[in-house]
Amino acid sequence: MINVRQTGPNSFAVTVGDGEGQTHHEVTLSDADHARLGGAHSKQVCVAAAFAFLLDHEPKESILSRFDLTVIGRYFPGFQRELPHYLARS
């Protein structure tokens, strides 16, 4: 389960849960990065899709507790290329 709650114009509180517990994350996404990454979708949908991507690549406990969404590409170079597939699922 991925729960995204907007806490400010560019900030989000994300809770990721499964049968083994929950993790909590604070994420930022600027207007410019939102337009570049998935502007046809709401920011909340983009953040949820990014977390779906992350969960396919690492356990929830390995996800940083606080980060800007664009940092994902530093750890996973295919992020920008693959994100549209995750957005299409939403």
Side-chain angles (χ1 to χ4, degrees):
M1 170 226 36
I2 301 168
N3 181 16
V4 180
R5 182 175 52 86
Q6 192 159 2
T7 57
N10 297 320
S11 57
F12 302 85
V14 181
T15 302
V16 179
D18 60 20
E20 298 178 15
Q22 294 182 340
T23 58
H24 302 279
H25 312 272
E26 295 177 26
V27 182
T28 56
L29 176 60
S30 72
D31 292 337
D33 290 328
H34 171 240
R36 184 173 49 83
L37 292 172
H41 302 272
S42 72
K43 285 184 178 181
Q44 284 181 281
V45 168
C46 288
V47 171
F51 269 80
F53 169 87
L54 286 171
L55 291 168
D56 280 349
H57 291 83
E58 64 183 345
K60 68 183 183 310
E61 294 82 10
S62 296
I63 299 172
L64 298 171
S65 61
R66 178 181 281 167
F67 61 97
D68 185 82
L69 203 72
T70 59
V71 79
I72 297 171
R74 291 187 204 158
Y75 295 94
F76 301 98
F79 171 66
Q80 282 190 277
R81 183 183 68 251
E82 293 182 44
L83 184 61
H85 301 291
Y86 287 88
L87 289 167
R89 295 181 196 171
S90 55

